[in-house]
Amino acid sequence: MLNELKRKFKKFPITISLIGICVVVYVISFVLFGEEMNTQEGLVMGAYNPLYVYYKHEIYRLFTANFIHFGLLHIAVNCYSLYGLGMFIEASLKTKKYVIVLLISALATTTLPFLLFLLNGFGAYSVSGGISGVIFGLIGALGALALKYRQVFMDVFKQLAPNVILMLVISFVVPSISMSGHLSGLIGGFVSTYVILNIKPKKKDPYRDLVN
């Protein structure tokens, strides 16, 4: 198993590292608070809340919130989703572009809801965290890839579409899940990937021969 993990890390270093960070942060929260955290404990670990960002100037929460999880099921589902989808997008975009998409997706997950808070007080008392916004960002990235390279990625996107719809429905129905965070991550991932794919490449487009 250790050899398999080393092989995966060598091939997909960013995705495996991202999962590793989430696991380490969860272990810390487990030691401090047990298997599940409440909202107050989540805030101690760096969860997102617009009041803390605005009044206490704790800007770091816009980023750290992506790496905390409120329970074992929460982190298990997210890491499982990130494992498969993340490796696929990492292989498709390559390291530098993948990192850019991850960062923009992570920041969009919290920054767009924060902008809504500044406009109309949206989500003033919400406390959120988790890597699921980034996962939605990767779904958005896959959508951008499918839009530009239909013959290569459209079938994969169609296979994933029902799961995406289900995840969005769950986000809407379950109050403890941040619908705005998921949608914001999705938008961030799609837009950043679409822009990256349409910047004139210095090297040969790796998918050009497959779609022409």
Side-chain angles (χ1 to χ4, degrees), residues 135-205:
I135 294 169
F136 269 86
L138 296 180
I139 293 170
L142 179 58
L145 284 163
L147 185 64
K148 186 170 179 65
Y149 304 108
R150 294 178 183 273
Q151 294 92 327
V152 183
F153 294 99
M154 186 55 74
D155 285 343
V156 178
F157 184 76
K158 286 180 179 178
Q159 291 173 17
L160 190 62
N163 293 328
V164 176
I165 294 172
L166 178 61
M167 291 170 73
L168 288 172
V169 170
I170 292 174
S171 301
F172 182 78
V173 172
V174 181
S176 61
I177 296 178
S178 174
M179 176 70 164
S180 60
H182 286 178
L183 286 176
S184 298
L186 185 71
I187 293 169
F190 177 83
V191 172
S192 58
T193 304
Y194 187 80
V195 170
I196 287 172
L197 292 177
N198 284 280
I199 294 175
K200 187 176 181 181
K202 293 181 180 179
K203 297 181 180 180
K204 183 180 178 182
D205 188 331

Side-chain angles (χ1 to χ4, degrees), residues 79-181:
C79 286
Y80 176 79
S81 300
L82 181 60
Y83 181 79
L85 183 59
M87 289 191 295
F88 181 80
I89 301 298
E90 184 170 359
S92 301
L93 290 179
K94 307 306 179 187
T95 301
K96 290 182 180 179
K97 293 178 181 179
Y98 181 58
V99 169
I100 292 172
V101 171
L102 286 175
L103 288 174
I104 293 177
S105 298
L107 291 174
T109 298
T110 49
T111 301
L112 293 183
F114 181 64
L115 292 177
L116 287 177
F117 163 77
L118 295 178
L119 287 173
N120 58 21
F122 173 82
Y125 300 104
S126 64
V127 175
S128 61
I131 202 74
S132 53
V134 172
I135 294 169
F136 269 86
L138 296 180
I139 293 170
L142 179 58
L145 284 163
L147 185 64
K148 186 170 179 65
Y149 304 108
R150 294 178 183 273
Q151 294 92 327
V152 183
F153 294 99
M154 186 55 74
D155 285 343
V156 178
F157 184 76
K158 286 180 179 178
Q159 291 173 17
L160 190 62
N163 293 328
V164 176
I165 294 172
L166 178 61
M167 291 170 73
L168 288 172
V169 170
I170 292 174
S171 301
F172 182 78
V173 172
V174 181
S176 61
I177 296 178
S178 174
M179 176 70 164
S180 60

Side-chain angles (χ1 to χ4, degrees), residues 16-30 67-69 75-76 79:
I16 300 302
S17 296
L18 194 58
I19 292 172
I21 292 171
C22 289
V23 170
V24 168
V25 172
Y26 178 73
V27 169
I28 294 172
S29 71
F30 183 90
F67 300 102
I68 73 162
H69 291 83
I75 189 173
C79 286

